[in-house]
Amino acid sequence: MLILSTFLTNCSGVKELTIFKKKVEREKLNLNTPTPLELENLKWIIITSKNAEEVFKRLEESGIDPVLWGLTDKDFELLAKNFAQIRNQLKITNDLLDKYKEYYEPNSNELDNGKQ
């Protein structure tokens, strides 16, 4: 009985919770700005029905296997559009990273003005 009454009296009191606000500093993201790509230089060779034999002969003389990949003028336009879309998406991603940095790592002027 003694043990039972001890447990009951300990559970009868409810502690009041105190809620407070505490300003928590934002953690630095430590995100590095992506470095620009250093792409390899390509050599474009334009082959037409008039110069095909000459181009293949020159390639063989240079020790290059005369196997080439070709695009029509329409496909080349599509390739250019695809690269434009890739550049646009990279710009959007870089802008997003900049916004995250701006939010999480405001400069000292913004802190002095109370912006965060």
Side-chain angles (χ1 to χ4, degrees):
M1 281 299 227
L2 184 60
I3 294 174
L4 181 61
S5 65
T6 304
F7 282 122
L8 290 176
T9 56
N10 284 339
C11 295
S12 64
V14 176
K15 293 182 181 179
E16 185 177 325
L17 293 177
T18 305
I19 299 175
F20 57 91
K21 291 184 179 181
K22 179 181 176 186
K23 184 177 179 179
V24 177
E25 294 296 322
R26 294 182 185 135
E27 293 291 322
K28 287 196 172 202
L29 289 180
N30 294 326
L31 295 176
N32 294 327
T33 303
T35 56
L37 296 175
E38 293 182 22
L39 302 176
E40 303 294 327
N41 290 327
L42 298 176
K43 181 180 177 186
W44 290 89
I45 301 172
I46 308 298
I47 300 176
T48 64
S49 57
K50 294 178 183 176
N51 72 352
E53 287 183 31
E54 176 190 336
V55 170
F56 280 107
K57 183 179 176 186
R58 228 183 357 199
L59 289 173
E60 287 174 347
E61 289 172 355
S62 300
I64 298 172
D65 191 12
V67 176
L68 303 173
W69 296 88
L71 295 173
T72 65
D73 57 345
K74 301 267 186 229
D75 288 329
F76 187 80
E77 287 177 16
L78 294 175
L79 182 65
K81 286 180 183 178
N82 287 343
F83 277 114
Q85 289 177 359
I86 291 169
R87 279 191 303 273
N88 185 49
Q89 189 62 41
L90 286 173
K91 182 181 180 335
I92 290 169
T93 302
N94 284 337
D95 290 346
L96 180 64
L97 286 173
D98 290 343
K99 290 294 182 186
Y100 271 111
K101 271 191 154 181
E102 183 181 314
Y103 177 79
Y104 280 100
E105 301 172 8
N107 63 35
S108 59
N109 291 338
E110 289 175 347
L111 291 175
D112 293 341
N113 295 332
K115 295 180 185 177
Q116 284 191 354

